[in-house]
Structure formats: structure tokens, C-alpha cells
Amino acid sequence: MQQLLKEIPEIMRVNNGLTLLEDEKEETCTENICFRQYRQLAHYFSLLCFLLTIVTLLLTLCLVQTTLVFRAQSTLQETKLRDLTHRLEKLNKSYHLLFSQYPALNQYCPVSNSTTAERKCSLCPAGWTPQGEKCFLFSQDRADWISTQYRCMTLGGAVATVRTEDEQVFLWKKAQSLSQGDSYWLGLRSSGAHGGWQWSDGSKVEKGPQFWEREPDSTADSRELCGRLTPGDNYRRSWFTSRCSNSLRSICERRQASLQ
Ligand SMILES: *[C@@H]1O[C@H](CO)[C@@H](O)[C@H](O)[C@H]1NC(C)=O
Ligand SMILES: *[C@@H]1O[C@H](CO)[C@@H](O)[C@H](O)[C@H]1NC(C)=O
């Protein structure tokens, strides 16, 4: 008990000391440190607000500029599109005018794709095969020589003539690939006794290379004879004589397209 009584003032002292300490601390805070801390905080806060305002302003500026640039670009693109559409319409008009005023263009530039109306141009009309400076048309229909010549003329040409070895090789190969052994009329015609052989355009056959199977003796036969191509093994010996009234397949020729 005495021990406790002894200790009470001690405890009181300690308690007082604590209270005293706390009081001291409070006083210091209000007067010095805390006030300074609040001011600093306020400073930081206003600085933060200022920075935020600046950033917001910058962002707004950026946005405005982007919008302006975008609008300018889309205006430019609209102008370009309108210009291109206008040019396309003009081209389309010229294109249609060209094909309506020059119907022959349809022959040389036929529509190759009906879906897209795409055209492909060639030096020869559709169906004709280009070779050298000519176009050739092989027909599987049979007719006599005169009918064949008329038919070729209505197609803008004549029965095929052979002026060079290249042409001979080409015709021989093509005839072989189309029908082994079948005969095709060439533009060869004898003009009766002693008249000699002529091409369908009236020129003399003797002036160019010849590929007769057997040299025809024009003096021996006064009948009208015509020449055919029968593609055998040897292209050098593939022209034969035939009665002009025989019905054979045919080859027409015409010149390639030229703007001169
Ligand atoms: C081109 O003109 C023709 C008629 O003139 C029309 O039918 C067609 O739609 C036009 N095409 C374009 C792409 O304008
Ligand atoms: C036509 O053109 C269309 C589109 O390009 C394509 O799909 C089609 O195969 C073409 N047809 C022919 C026959 O070339």
C-alpha cells in the first residue's frame, strides 16, 4: 500500500509530463509547421490546377486543329471526287461516241467480258488469226471456189494467197491441226488454156514461191482448175489442183487493221 502511495505522484508526474508534451506539440503545430504545410499544400494545389487548365487548353486546341484539318481534307477529297466523276463521264461519252461512229471498231475490239463490258483489241477481227501482216480465217463450211471467193469478199477479204514460205508453213500447220487430211481452197485459179495460174487478186503465181505437190501443166488441161491446200507430211508439197466446182473447206485472208 505504501509502495502504491509512493508511486502515485510518480504516475501523476509522468501523466502531467505527457499532457505537457502534447500541449507543447499542439502549440508548435498551429504556429509554425502546420501552417507552413498548409500553405505549401495550397501552393501545390493551385499549381496542379494551373497545369490541368493548361493541359485542358492544349487538348482543346489540338482537337480544334484536328477537326479543322480533317474538314479541309474531306473538302479537298470531295472536290477531287467531283473532278474525277466529271472526267469519267466525259471519257464515257467519248468512248460511246467512238464505237457508235466507227462500227468497225466493234470488229477489232469486241466485248470480251459481257459482265464488265471489257473489250480486247486485236489487229484482226474476232475469229481471224493474225499472221505476218495478214489475218486468216479458216472455215469448215464447204463450197465451190467461186462461192468461197464471194464469201471471203463479203468478209472484207479474198481467198487466201501464199506469198512467203512463212505463210505456207503457217497455213499448212493450222490446216493440219484443224483437220488432218481435209482440203481447203486457196486463192489459186488457172485462167484456162495457156493462161497460167493466178492468185485471187489477179497477180501471177509464177512470181513467188510455189508449193505444188506436182507442177501443174496448164497447157495440158483447158478446163478451169483451182488450187487447194491438202496438209500432208510435207508442207513444200501440199498444193493440189481441183475442179473449181468441187465443194471444199476454205481459207480467207484480209489485211490487218491500219489507221493509215
Ligand atoms: C456510260 O454511258 C452509258 C450510256 O451513254 C451508260 O449506260 C453508262 O452507265 C455510263 N457509264 C458510266 C460509268 O458512267
Ligand atoms: C468477267 O469479269 C468478271 C469480273 O472481273 C470475272 O469475275 C469473270 O470471270 C469475267 N468473265 C470472263 C468470261 O472473263
Side-chain angles (χ1 to χ4, degrees), residues 88-89 92-93 96:
L88 178 65
E89 275 167 9
N92 191 31
K93 215 179 267 179
H96 282 282

Side-chain angles (χ1 to χ4, degrees), residues 112-118 120:
S112 61
N113 187 330
S114 53
T115 328
T116 58
E118 191 182 322
K120 273 227 173 73

Side-chain angles (χ1 to χ4, degrees), residues 23 45 58 85 88 120 137 146 149 195 199 202 227 250:
D23 282 350
F45 188 68
L58 280 176
T85 311
L88 178 65
K120 273 227 173 73
L137 178 72
I146 286 289
Q149 172 73 340
W199 288 113
S250 59

